[in-house]
Amino acid sequence: MIELDDRLRAIRDRHREAAEDLRSRALAIDADPEAMEAHLDSPAYLMIRESSMPPAYRTSATAAASPDRGSCLENIVGLVELFRGDVAALLACPSPALAGVFVELLGDAAQKERFYRRIADGRTWSFFAMTEAGRGNDATAMETRLERDGSGGWLLHGAKRYIGHGARGGVGVVFGRTGRSALSIRAALVELPLPGWHAERLDMVGLRGAFLSELRFDGLPVAGDMLLGEHLPVTRRGIWGALTTFNNMRMQIAAAAVGTALAMAEYVAEHRKGAPGADLVAARAQAARHLVYEAAARLDRSPERGYLSSAAKLGATKMAVATAHWAAAALGPAGLLEHPLLEKWTRDVRAFEFMDGTGNIQRLHVARGYRSGDADA
């Protein structure tokens, strides 16, 4: 079990305070995820942006209790607390997000400068476009392609679906193939506006702040110096970076499930004292929190080994859905009508199953990790 030292406790406590600000905005963002101007300068959003940006691009002083951007454990300790405020409200914040993780891994100095300068204003969303309709994140089945334009650049053709902030983003990462082999899968840094870009927001039941979108590319121009990883060995470009990024993403989804479950359990405890099963529900949520901490610490030691992150995502998601069922029943037949915040969380929690692979996909990752010896790492 991971014991929190003084630094981790300071990170936890600082993010716990910011969670209240996120929660106060949750229902407004859920009602109208396009009306974000009133939230962009909030204390929580400022903290999220500043702590996720490299120091050179920060616009204000950041408290000492900000997580080390290179430590998965420190970030997950903070995220669990923020997600207790509201997952969708956090996802609605303009920040580097997953695109930033990938640019950090594979971008050269000029690409990082271009990316972070664009989002430093706090009003530009980033996007990470890999998922395709009917194929999910299966890179081997990807159909989006990068074709040479004859002048040293590329033309992007294809479509992506379920892309966070795709229809309002200003800069991000888009995956495509330059050929048919696994090594031909590459990522391009795309800064908008550009011709050939078409985007539309999708209707959503839950996590509406994520602004999931569908994208289409009709010969979108990509400059030759915007392919990520050109300075790296061929084997450490597209797929390697994607796997490492998805290991981080999986941990964030697990943290979101744990944070939402803790929020629901605490909400019921506040509004219905002595609800049947409350102690067991709370204990399961705490156990999932410790599993997520352990998986994050494991990734810090071995970033390419995703065995325990899959196990954490699988267990945390299942636990969070069960907590939502319990919470709805604990407050009685009219409970969700009388408590709109809890009703929102019971919608949001369903999305975690489909983010970065369903439960069956995670079971395959766990089985492969076990067979390869990752379980003993």
Side-chain angles (χ1 to χ4, degrees), residues 93-106:
C93 176
S95 71
L98 281 178
V101 175
F102 205 83
V103 171
E104 285 288 308
L105 282 171
L106 300 187

Side-chain angles (χ1 to χ4, degrees), residues 4 7-8 11-12 14-16 47-53 58 65-83 90 95-97 101 248-249 251-256 292-293 296-297 299-300:
L4 301 189
R7 175 170 172 77
L8 289 174
I11 290 171
R12 179 198 63 191
R14 181 179 182 230
H15 287 72
R16 185 172 291 175
M47 188 197 78
I48 293 165
R49 287 196 301 267
E50 296 295 276
S51 63
S52 61
M53 296 281 282
R58 294 173 183 169
S66 292
D68 179 344
R69 295 170 60 253
S71 168
C72 185
L73 177 59
E74 290 192 9
N75 280 278
I76 290 302
V77 166
L79 282 173
V80 167
E81 300 307 319
L82 288 178
F83 287 140
L90 188 152
S95 71
V101 175
N248 277 276
M249 179 181 180
M251 289 307 312
Q252 293 180 27
I253 298 165
V292 168
Y293 285 176
L299 275 184
D300 282 336

Side-chain angles (χ1 to χ4, degrees), residues 98 101-103 105-106 128-130 137-140 142 173 175 182 185-187 228 235-250 303-304 356:
L98 281 178
V101 175
F102 205 83
V103 171
L105 282 171
L106 300 187
F128 184 84
M130 174 177 253
N137 289 331
D138 182 2
T140 62
M142 184 183 299
V173 174
F175 285 81
I185 298 169
R186 300 297 302 275
L228 297 169
T235 55
R236 296 181 73 84
R237 292 177 179 175
I239 287 294
W240 174 82
L243 291 174
T244 305
T245 301
F246 284 136
N247 285 341
N248 277 276
M249 179 181 180
R250 204 170 298 133
E304 298 174 33
D356 190 42

